[in-house]
Amino acid sequence: IPDGGRGTATLAGNHHEEVVLDLAANGSTATATVSFAANLQPGPGDVDLGARSGVPVAPQTIGDEFAVDVAVQTDGLDLGSWELEISFPPAALTVVNVVDTYPSGGLFDWNLGETPGTIRLGGSLNNPPNRGTSGSPLGVARVTLRATGVGLAEIAGRVLLLAQPGSAGLPIGGATPRAIEAGHVVAQINAQNRRQRRQR
């Protein structure tokens, strides 16, 4: 969102390819072009999907398998129990596998959701500290997907549970369920070219 009066541009979301910003100096013919990745960082209690830097999910080709990392921002608090729902277009993406990426072990499980194009994953962590800090969310899982349909495939989700360790299970973040914000990403899926099809 450009604001010419302040000389700023605010990113309102992630993008599947680099963003190009064209700049022009007032009262001058001088111009410049800057390109960069639009990749939101998760705030307290939010979840990040995909790469932490660069484009969140790199462009894929039909038949490709690619990993989407899942990380939670606990804002310095230890993570005890968690549960997430991740959604995607079933005509464009299928799930290959889901594994945990815990730093110190724990319980983990996942399953296909009742609604096509959804998975639920979660568990609990052992041996604290297990915490995310500003700029460094805590990795909890890796989802491997296969590209099966051409187009822009939206990957989103909800936080169902994010709690600290202990019997009280104090929440991390706001009320649940809540939408994932920084992890709302798009995968660009391209068709195979003729040469690729012949090689296979």
Side-chain angles (χ1 to χ4, degrees), residues 2 7 13 15 26 38 85-86 133 138 153 161 169 175 193:
H15 199 57
N26 291 333
E85 180 183 77
I86 296 176
T133 58
L138 176 69
L161 172 67
N193 60 39

Side-chain angles (χ1 to χ4, degrees), residues 68-137:
V68 176
D69 286 333
V70 181
V72 299
Q73 180 52 273
T74 67
D75 198 32
L77 300 172
D78 281 328
L79 177 62
S81 300
W82 63 282
E83 184 178 6
L84 307 174
E85 180 183 77
I86 296 176
S87 60
F88 53 88
L93 299 171
T94 58
V95 178
V96 177
N97 194 24
V98 184
V99 297
D100 76 78
T101 57
Y102 292 162
S104 59
L107 300 176
F108 176 78
D109 193 20
W110 74 277
N111 57 72
L112 296 174
E114 295 181 0
T115 303
T118 62
I119 59 173
R120 286 200 173 194
L121 59 161
S124 59
L125 282 74
N126 296 335
N127 305 318
N130 293 297
R131 62 188 63 163
T133 58
S134 178
S136 183

Side-chain angles (χ1 to χ4, degrees), residues 118-168:
T118 62
I119 59 173
R120 286 200 173 194
L121 59 161
S124 59
L125 282 74
N126 296 335
N127 305 318
N130 293 297
R131 62 188 63 163
T133 58
S134 178
S136 183
L138 176 69
V140 293
R142 178 170 293 128
V143 179
T144 301
L145 300 170
R146 179 182 292 115
T148 56
V150 174
L152 298 179
E154 183 178 1
I155 305 172
R158 298 187 301 161
V159 176
L160 304 179
L161 172 67
L162 209 59
Q164 299 176 56
S167 58

